[in-house]
Amino acid sequence: MRSRFDEQLATLNQELTQMGAMCEEAIAAASKALTTGDGKLTDKVLSLDGEINRMERAIETLCLKLLLQQQPVARDLRQISAALKMITDMERIGTQAADIGEIIAFMDGRTGAECQQIRFMADAASQMVTESIDAFVKKDVILAGTAIGRDDVVDDLFLQVKSSLIKLIAEKPADGGYALDLLMIAKYFERIGDHAVNIAEWVAFSVTGEHKK
Amino acid sequence: MTQKIFRSIMAAAGAVLIASLVIIMGGLYRYFSSVQEKQLEDELSLAVIAVEKIGQEYLEDLQSDQYRFTWVSENGDVRYDTQSDEESMENHGDREEIRQAFQSREGKSLRYSSTLLEKTLYCARRLEDGSVLRISVRSVTIWVLVLGMMQPILIVIAAALVLSGILAGRISEHIMEPLNSLDLEKPLDNDTYEELAPLLKRINKQHRQIEMQLRELQRKNDEFAQITRGMTEGLVLLNEKNIILNINPAALKLFHTKESCIGEDFLTVERSLNVNRGIQEAFSKGHSEISMEREGKEYQLHINRIESNGSLIGAVVLAFDRTEAAFAERNRREFTANVSHELKTPLQSIMGSAELMESGLVKPEDMAHFVKRIRTETERLVTLIDDIIRLSQLDEGGDMLFENIDVYEAASEVTAGLADMAAARNIKITLTGETVWVKGVRRLLTEILFNLCDNAVKYNKDGGTVEVSVNRQGTEAVISVKDSGIGIPPEHQARIFERFYRVDKSRSKESGGTGLGLSIVKHAAEYLDGKIDLHSSPGEGTAVQVTLKISSPQAI
């Protein structure tokens, strides 16, 4: 009985890791598309988003099955409930990466110096996601803490992007639409950072049993 | 063990108890029975004498609870009985003991009561008058005795139970103690029951077998570890559940993980979609190849399914570093593109000139100019093809004649050959140094010297200098070519030895170089086991130093 349960828990871990890897890849593709304006990359982000959504459903079903059939307690229960929360955040990350991809496709390959700044944001955000997934894989609370701390970096970068975009609008009012697109992208990356923080917090919860908020 | 011993002890005790009971009871009972019989007979004899003398009065006066006397007349009627009223008693003529007494004076019989709890012993004797006197005594049967003995017997059995329990415990403890303290690591060193010797011998044999198998296993493990440790390729063994069974140091470095990852899911080490899809594909299809990039290096991963008896037992991941191969491939592609471009340019020029001449658009006085252009372009083409041939020869390797060459002499020939070209631009070439012998290929050495000096003149300022020196430093010959030319910017210095690489692409035609000179120098020096050092600063000039091994003194 227990060995079957252990097997199911291992599957849950595996699928969560895979879903995390998909999120990482989606963000990486989105941020690369931002600097290259490559249409193929945006398509990839969109298809990854679809896969992430399917994965969320699958993991959700598995979690509910485990909860109902095995009635886990203590650490197992924490792990499963944390997984249920984490997949919501991962799904949001996937959707936001897809939104970024859509905006980039809409921008028609236009890139500029402002994009570089957003690229830094994208790098920081994707590193946060990588760290939080790593923390999950290694059950490393310290790494989860590092990921949470990095959110400030992303927030600061967002403010910088915002002020430089304000300047851009003031200087070239005709580029207002472009500037707003970039602002949306920056905001999405900032949100991705927040979701990464959530994931890291749930990782810490599943290990220590304490959820900081 | 304890139970078994207990049971045997109990069985033995029970058997002994019952046997002795039967023997003693039986023996005693028989003895007492015979004593009783004897007493009965004596009593009867006395009674017979007395009755014959005194008659019925004797019997009437007799006070006995123990014995019962019955006097039966010759027709069987009871004359007198000491315990019952003779009137109510039936005819006794058919009783066995009386019948016997009628016939043979004496009669005896034993009768049990209906419950078997009592028995009555009868003795009868015929008197002189033909009547019979019978005496009888009642006594309990052996079963009553046994029943009466039941309490002490039960007590003895209980005592035997307790005693045998304690004894069994003690004995089994005593038997087991040496067994428990057996040193199974060294079975033959034990001092214990000799009955155990065959067992210990067998254990010893099995020990040796296990040890041998373990050593063999260890040796194979070590062998495997040694082989995989030495591999530059990364190797990971996975089981069917994607758990890492083995990982070699190269793979540890590649995937940035530690040896503690053995036994964990491969996903925890590498979760990129690309790699995991490759593994899944290998699991389902048997083989997959994927490429991945790590820290600027390119790796090719070959993943193969491992099967045993048709069932999947895992996968092996082999990672090759393809960085250099990819780099070489890129170089080759670039070289092909460059060569076709370099060959096409002069041909285009020749074709253009020829077309103009063919269509008669060229005035006769300009004809010489066009013919000259065709000639120079053709010359350029030939030099280029020469260079390419030389390079491909060097690439091929092949055996070339090694001989002892005087480097200084070779350098003086080269500088003399370039003197005219240098003089045309007012450049001064100087050669200093000493005679140094090296073992090498004359053509290659000349190639090195010529290309270096040629570059030094070509990329010089008008009125500049070229200083060539040949010196011996220890066991090495150092050729140095220093110019006062335009120099090479630092960002280009690393690449100038590549084929067709030019610092200033627009000047290539003007200087007449093919872009292959330094590439030839590099390859030639490599062929001669030499070393090239380049020092250059833009505007100040370039110094190239080629170091070659000198010939051993005996060879000179």
Side-chain angles (χ1 to χ4, degrees), chain A residues 7 14 17-18 21-22 24-25 48 51 130 133-134 137-138, chain B residues 241-242 256 264-265 267-269 271-274 276-277 280:
Chain A
E7 225 167 78
Q14 243 175 21
T17 314
Q18 271 167 354
M22 283 179 192
E24 284 175 69
E25 193 134 329
L48 268 173
E51 265 183 70
T130 305
I133 306 286
D134 265 345
V137 168
K138 294 175 186 152
Chain B
K241 282 182 186 154
N242 211 25
H256 275 291
E264 291 201 20
D265 200 310
L267 266 179
T268 61
V269 170
R271 59 171 181 271
S272 75
L273 295 183
N274 190 13
N276 283 297
R277 279 196 188 124
Q280 290 314 317

Side-chain angles (χ1 to χ4, degrees), chain A residues 53-151:
Chain A
N53 286 346
R54 273 195 295 283
M55 200 88 191
E56 190 204 4
R57 286 263 152 275
I59 296 178
E60 206 174 70
T61 315
L62 178 62
C63 284
L64 290 177
K65 213 162 91 184
L66 279 170
L67 284 177
L68 287 172
Q69 293 177 346
Q70 310 281 2
Q71 308 193 335
V73 288
R75 195 187 170 91
D76 299 331
L77 179 62
R78 281 210 306 273
Q79 200 186 338
I80 295 169
S81 48
L84 265 177
K85 297 294 290 180
M86 274 159 59
I87 52 171
T88 321
D89 283 308
M90 288 190 192
E91 188 271 334
R92 293 311 307 157
I93 290 176
T95 309
Q96 268 146 5
D99 288 341
I100 294 170
E102 272 172 5
I103 296 175
I104 291 169
F106 190 66
M107 282 175 9
D108 233 6
R110 180 173 173 182
T111 55
E114 301 79 15
C115 289
Q116 201 51 48
Q117 234 170 351
I118 299 178
R119 182 75 193 260
F120 289 142
M121 260 189 91
D123 287 346
S126 90
Q127 198 172 359
M128 277 177 74
V129 174
T130 305
E131 276 168 355
S132 56
I133 306 286
D134 265 345
F136 166 74
V137 168
K138 294 175 186 152
K139 308 267 175 277
D140 186 343
V141 182
I142 297 167
L143 195 58
T146 321
I148 294 170
R150 205 179 289 280
D151 191 39

Side-chain angles (χ1 to χ4, degrees), chain B residues 396-512:
Chain B
E396 291 289 324
D399 283 333
M400 281 186 252
L401 180 68
F402 272 75
E403 54 188 325
N404 282 314
I405 313 161
D406 180 357
V407 184
Y408 187 82
E409 194 195 318
S412 71
E413 277 169 22
V414 169
T415 48
L418 285 168
D420 287 345
M421 194 171 113
R425 290 179 59 199
N426 204 14
I427 293 169
K428 208 168 117 196
I429 300 186
T430 54
L431 173 66
T432 55
E434 51 185 328
T435 297
V436 183
W437 292 87
V438 300
K439 198 165 173 72
V441 181
R442 184 175 291 277
R443 195 161 61 76
L444 295 185
L445 188 67
T446 316
E447 207 77 71
I448 293 172
L449 287 165
F450 176 79
N451 276 303
L452 288 179
C453 295
D454 188 45
N455 277 349
V457 175
K458 262 188 210 153
Y459 301 101
N460 215 326
K461 296 176 202 143
D462 288 347
T465 57
V466 175
E467 290 165 26
V468 183
S469 70
V470 178
N471 285 300
R472 181 176 166 170
Q473 278 177 14
T475 60
E476 286 171 334
V478 180
I479 306 163
S480 161
V481 179
K482 200 173 153 201
D483 65 47
S484 59
I486 52 177
I488 305 162
E491 64 267 28
H492 293 292
Q493 287 181 10
R495 297 197 61 189
I496 53 166
F497 291 103
E498 286 176 26
R499 292 163 191 202
F500 295 113
Y501 191 83
R502 287 230 173 80
V503 175
D504 184 357
K505 280 147 187 101
S506 60
R507 269 178 52 106
S508 67
K509 259 198 155 158
E510 197 183 310
S511 58

Side-chain angles (χ1 to χ4, degrees), chain B residues 101-360:
Chain B
F102 278 143
Q103 281 168 11
S104 55
R105 213 179 79 93
E106 296 270 345
K108 212 182 268 179
S109 90
L110 179 71
R111 277 203 288 280
Y112 287 92
S113 73
S114 53
T115 51
L116 287 178
L117 291 178
E118 250 182 0
K119 64 172 185 179
T120 317
L121 189 64
Y122 298 99
C123 250
R125 193 172 290 173
R126 198 165 40 150
L127 303 186
E128 305 232 311
D129 62 348
S131 64
V132 170
L133 187 64
R134 183 184 78 172
I135 184 168
S136 68
V137 67
R138 283 162 182 253
S139 65
V140 289
T141 58
I142 191 163
W143 303 117
V144 178
L145 280 182
V146 169
L147 221 65
M149 293 278 284
M150 222 41 181
Q151 205 183 353
I153 291 176
L154 282 178
I155 290 173
V156 170
I157 289 177
L161 265 176
V162 173
L163 210 68
S164 52
I166 294 170
L167 269 176
R170 282 269 174 84
I171 292 175
S172 68
E173 198 180 298
H174 193 68
I175 293 176
M176 292 313 289
E177 196 255 313
L179 289 183
N180 283 336
S181 60
L182 276 185
D183 180 8
L184 289 180
E185 293 301 313
K186 294 174 205 133
L188 292 186
D189 293 356
N190 286 303
D191 183 22
T192 178
Y193 320 131
E194 52 187 295
E195 288 89 341
L196 282 178
L199 173 74
L200 292 178
K201 266 186 202 150
R202 236 175 51 209
I203 291 176
N204 188 46
K205 203 173 141 197
Q206 274 177 353
H207 255 297
R208 277 211 212 128
Q209 240 168 14
I210 290 171
E211 247 170 57
M212 228 160 68
Q213 280 164 350
L214 259 182
R215 258 205 303 274
E216 181 70 8
L217 210 67
Q218 186 67 37
R219 198 178 59 78
K220 279 192 181 153
N221 254 351
D222 282 353
E223 236 172 48
F224 181 75
Q226 286 296 340
I227 292 170
T228 54
R229 196 172 302 143
M231 277 166 65
T232 45
E233 293 87 10
L235 179 81
V236 186
L237 293 182
L238 303 174
N239 74 358
E240 79 283 0
K241 282 182 186 154
N242 211 25
I243 307 282
I244 301 172
L245 297 178
N246 202 308
I247 183 163
N248 75 345
L252 286 178
K253 222 170 104 190
L254 168 61
F255 292 115
H256 275 291
T257 182
K258 289 189 202 98
E259 208 143 335
S260 58
C261 73
I262 291 174
E264 291 201 20
D265 200 310
F266 188 61
L267 266 179
T268 61
V269 170
E270 175 60 44
R271 59 171 181 271
S272 75
L273 295 183
N274 190 13
V275 174
N276 283 297
R277 279 196 188 124
I279 292 173
Q280 290 314 317
E281 198 189 319
F283 273 141
S284 58
K285 288 184 191 156
H287 176 78
S288 69
E289 267 177 43
I290 47 171
S291 51
M292 68 170 204
E293 238 187 86
R294 254 323 116 82
E295 289 160 0
K297 286 190 165 186
E298 276 183 43
Y299 291 93
Q300 175 129 24
L301 264 61
H302 289 257
I303 306 160
N304 275 306
R305 182 169 62 183
I306 311 172
E307 284 173 18
S308 173
N309 297 330
S311 63
L312 172 72
I313 58 166
V316 55
V317 181
L318 200 56
F320 296 97
D321 187 350
R322 279 198 74 247
T323 319
E324 264 175 39
F327 180 72
E329 206 174 294
R330 204 163 39 242
N331 266 356
R332 214 168 10 255
R333 267 203 302 275
E334 273 176 21
F335 179 72
T336 317
N338 280 332
V339 160
S340 16
H341 175 76
E342 294 288 330
L343 288 176
K344 207 179 157 190
T345 320
L347 280 174
Q348 286 285 20
S349 178
I350 293 168
M351 200 165 78
S353 306
E355 269 173 9
L356 282 175
M357 284 156 67
E358 188 189 21
S359 60

